[in-house]
Amino acid sequence: MKLDFRDLQKIDFNNLGNAPTLAKGFLITIACLVVVGLALYLFTSDQWDQLDAARKQEATKRSEFEEKQRKAANLGAYRQQMQQMQEAFKDLLRQLPKSTEVPGLVDEISYAASGSGLSSEKLEKNADVKREFYIETPIEISVKGGYHQIGEFISKVSALPRIVTIHDFTLKTSAKPGDIESSDSLTLSVVAKTYRYEAEEGK
């Protein structure tokens, strides 16, 4: 016997016992397939999630491995670069004065001012300022002279063997409007700062 799908339309779902045998078998088969499908979904959904997570983890591990492999291949270049950086850092440290050398640095700034033809009105070392990794030493400077002399002085300070930075730059003139400026009519006030590496203190 063949299943006549018209028989399915005549099925009374309130009285399935009187339905044709083939129709009942078809309905039972559909019901079994639905039950099996739901069971498979319920029992395997977590496993699919785990599989997806495992695939993502595999991609991450693969990326990490490739990055480590790349670094390993360039290990020699990295070591050489690190050595160059350490040498550069040592060179910078040699340009930072130690605490016992700061008075000498103040003298060098004074010599730079007098050698440029400036008269020093103020040259005073202020209290040290402790930062996270270094110590900052401000030096207040006030000199008097002409444009070219001040320019020469700034050039000499920037050429000092120790690292010195210039801050709070002010330039005033004592000449009145209409007056002919004299060679010492300008007053330069700055704060020069030098630095010491804290780890080097006491060595």
Side-chain angles (χ1 to χ4, degrees), residues 54-66:
R55 286 174 177 170
K56 291 180 179 178
Q57 186 177 17
E58 180 188 7
T60 301
K61 295 294 184 182
R62 187 185 297 275
S63 178
E64 291 176 356
F65 173 76
E66 291 175 353

Side-chain angles (χ1 to χ4, degrees), residues 180-201:
I180 298 175
E181 292 187 355
S182 63
S183 61
D184 60 350
S185 61
L186 295 174
T187 300
L188 171 70
S189 298
V190 298
V191 176
K193 293 182 180 180
T194 188
Y195 310 89
R196 306 197 308 275
Y197 186 44
E198 188 174 12
E200 294 291 313
E201 290 295 291

Side-chain angles (χ1 to χ4, degrees), residues 96-99 102 128 134-135 137 194-198 201:
L96 299 179
K98 296 182 180 180
S99 58
V102 172
D128 291 339
Y134 63 92
I135 298 172
T137 302
T194 188
Y195 310 89
R196 306 197 308 275
Y197 186 44
E198 188 174 12
E201 290 295 291

Side-chain angles (χ1 to χ4, degrees), residues 94-97 100-116 118 120 123 139 141 143 152-164 192 194:
R94 283 192 284 268
Q95 296 181 54
L96 299 179
T100 56
E101 297 173 329
V102 172
L105 179 60
V106 175
D107 291 338
E108 289 180 3
I109 295 174
S110 177
Y111 297 150
S114 60
S116 302
L118 297 172
S120 297
L123 188 59
I139 303 170
I141 303 170
V143 292
E152 183 181 350
F153 169 68
I154 294 296
S155 178
K156 287 183 177 180
V157 170
S158 64
L160 289 174
R162 301 299 185 183
I163 294 177
V164 178
T194 188

